[in-house]
């Protein structure tokens, strides 16, 4: 299929494939090829060159649709390096990220391209998602730049395979996925991009986001350590070095740390709530006293955080928790 000039595509869709079942890959690839907006190149990076079934499947896709640019790694390099390999091949004004186990809605690319064309100041735009697989539901994120960036002390501001990125922002600022991060590479990317561009999310469910039991349970120590390092940079960017030193200068986070941060902020508004909640979820030890202290902070109160504090107090061993 080719009804436009492939030498200058407006959109590059980037997907890396590794160990996903062929059925999932077929669903994912088909959801892109059947988009209502069709003028894109589709960069597929095969990071499992020893999988003969995968190679055959991807070769068939490439033969049937000339929008596909197939890249085969010489060996398994991992997701982060594979993403950067794919980025170097992307020629579009916009890069649409996609994962091989998710399914894009029919109008996803069309809606996101229209939004980016109408809002030239936006560098990254995500969407909401419908969860399926091990858990069902709707996954939402904040919509506006300030809320998204301050939310980063608690979570990633975007559902990674839902984003569209203005490639010029990456190129002008020489930003790529940090290859020192085997995990949380998207969180690291947002940490770099938050300093140079504006974020947004569309309040539209344009992605079906698959959750497996392995994804939910397989949060290892290396992943936690990387997220910890990135979050430290996020806090320094948002709140300054003074707050960062208070939080990370000691050996552990306790109620005194929280008190010092509150006094140093010198303001109490909605922008501080994510940081305060993150600190309460990062305490080394939990007790009923911690829960009572949290309840008194109505400005920051979040029911989900309160429930987590209760669980950590009465159910989980909270040893070695840090922000």
């Amino acid at each position: 299929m080719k009804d436009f000039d492939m030498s200058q595509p407006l959109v590059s869709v980037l997907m890396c494939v590794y160990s996903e079942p062929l059925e999932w890959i077929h669903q994912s690839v088909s959801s892109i090829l059947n988009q209502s907006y069709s003028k894109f190149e589709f960069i597929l990076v095969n990071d499992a060159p020893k999988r003969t079934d995968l190679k055959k499947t991807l070769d068939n896709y490439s033969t049937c649709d000339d929008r596909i640019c197939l890249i085969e790694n010489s060996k398994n390099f991992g997701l982060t390096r594979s993403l950067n390999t794919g980025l170097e091949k992307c020629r579009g004004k916009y890069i649409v990220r996609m994962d091989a186990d998710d399914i894009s809605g029919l109008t996803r690319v069309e809606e996101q391209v229209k939004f980016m064309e109408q809002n030239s100041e936006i560098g990254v735009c995500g969407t909401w998602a419908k969860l399926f697989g091990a858990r069902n539901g709707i996954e939402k994120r904040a919509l506006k730049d300030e809320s998204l960036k301050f939310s980063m002390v608690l979570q990633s501001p975007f559902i990674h395979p839902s984003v569209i990125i203005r490639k010029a922002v990456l190129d002008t600022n020489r930003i790529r996925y940090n290859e020192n991060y085997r995990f949380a590479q998207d969180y690291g990317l947002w940490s770099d991009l938050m300093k140079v561009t504006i974020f947004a999310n569309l309040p539209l469910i344009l992605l079906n986001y698959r959750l497996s039991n392995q994804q939910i349970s397989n949060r290892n120590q290396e992943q936690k350590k990387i997220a910890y390092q990135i979050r430290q940079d996020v806090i320094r960017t948002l709140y300054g070095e003074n707050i960062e030193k208070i939080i990370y200068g000691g050996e552990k986070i306790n109620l005194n740390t929280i008190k010092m941060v509150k006094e140093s902020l010198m303001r109490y508004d909605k922008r501080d709530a994510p940081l305060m909640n993150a600190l309460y979820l990062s305490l080394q030890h939990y007790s009923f006293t911690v829960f009572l202290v949290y309840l008194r902070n109505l400005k920051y109160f979040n029911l989900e955080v309160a429930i987590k504090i209760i669980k950590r107090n009465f159910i989980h061993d909270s040893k070695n928790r840090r922000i």
Side-chain angles (χ1 to χ4, degrees), residues 20-224:
E20 298 83 2
L22 292 181
E23 180 185 358
W24 294 5
I25 293 170
H26 174 71
Q27 292 171 342
S28 183
V29 170
S30 295
S31 75
I32 294 297
L33 296 180
N34 294 321
Q35 286 287 302
S36 59
Y37 182 95
S38 61
K39 298 179 180 180
F40 57 80
E41 63 175 0
F42 192 1
I43 310 297
L44 275 169
V45 183
N46 179 5
D47 195 34
K50 293 184 178 180
R51 276 186 66 183
T52 55
D53 60 337
L54 178 60
K55 177 175 172 55
K56 182 178 179 180
T57 297
L58 297 180
D59 284 342
N60 286 338
Y61 279 127
S62 181
T63 300
C64 295
D65 197 312
D66 54 12
R67 292 175 296 179
I68 292 177
C69 172
L70 183 58
I71 301 171
E72 185 170 297
N73 290 342
S74 58
K75 62 179 182 179
N76 170 229
F77 288 124
L79 178 59
T80 311
R81 181 171 171 180
S82 296
L83 285 170
N84 281 338
T85 297
L87 281 176
E88 297 308 314
K89 294 291 184 181
C90 291
R91 298 172 296 166
K93 179 179 179 181
Y94 303 114
I95 297 169
V96 169
R97 270 288 288 119
M98 184 62 183
D99 280 346
D101 53 355
D102 300 321
I103 302 171
S104 283
L106 180 64
T107 63
R108 176 199 165 180
V109 176
E110 179 181 359
E111 293 283 0
Q112 289 187 288
V113 168
K114 180 172 65 175
F115 178 81
M116 296 295 278
E117 289 285 89
Q118 293 174 350
N119 298 274
S120 60
E121 75 283 4
I122 303 296
V124 187
C125 171
T127 76
W128 292 352
K130 180 180 180 181
L131 305 179
F132 73 107
R135 193 170 74 221
N136 297 322
I138 303 299
E139 186 74 10
K140 298 180 180 181
R141 292 288 191 273
L143 303 179
K144 302 297 184 181
D145 181 69
E146 183 180 73
S147 297
L148 284 166
K149 289 176 179 175
F150 277 91
S151 75
M152 286 178 65
V153 298
L154 272 174
Q155 64 179 1
S156 172
F158 302 110
I159 302 165
H160 190 194
S162 81
V163 300
I164 183 170
I165 305 172
R166 197 175 299 273
K167 190 168 187 288
V169 174
L170 295 175
D171 293 343
T172 301
N173 296 284
R174 297 182 180 180
I175 291 175
R176 291 294 185 267
Y177 291 94
N178 189 330
E179 294 187 15
N180 292 319
Y181 300 153
R182 286 205 309 140
F183 304 100
Q185 55 279 115
D186 59 323
Y187 191 25
L189 186 68
W190 314 142
S191 176
D192 291 334
L193 285 171
M194 71 182 294
K195 303 162 188 170
V196 299
T197 194
I198 296 175
F199 290 171
N201 270 317
L202 293 177
L204 302 173
I205 300 170
L206 298 176
L207 180 77
N208 291 318
Y209 186 66
R210 190 189 305 269
L211 283 178
S212 67
N213 288 319
Q214 184 179 14
Q215 282 175 294
I216 295 172
S217 62
N218 191 26
R219 182 171 167 82
N220 59 36
Q221 289 302 312
E222 182 181 358
Q223 186 172 359
K224 291 179 181 179

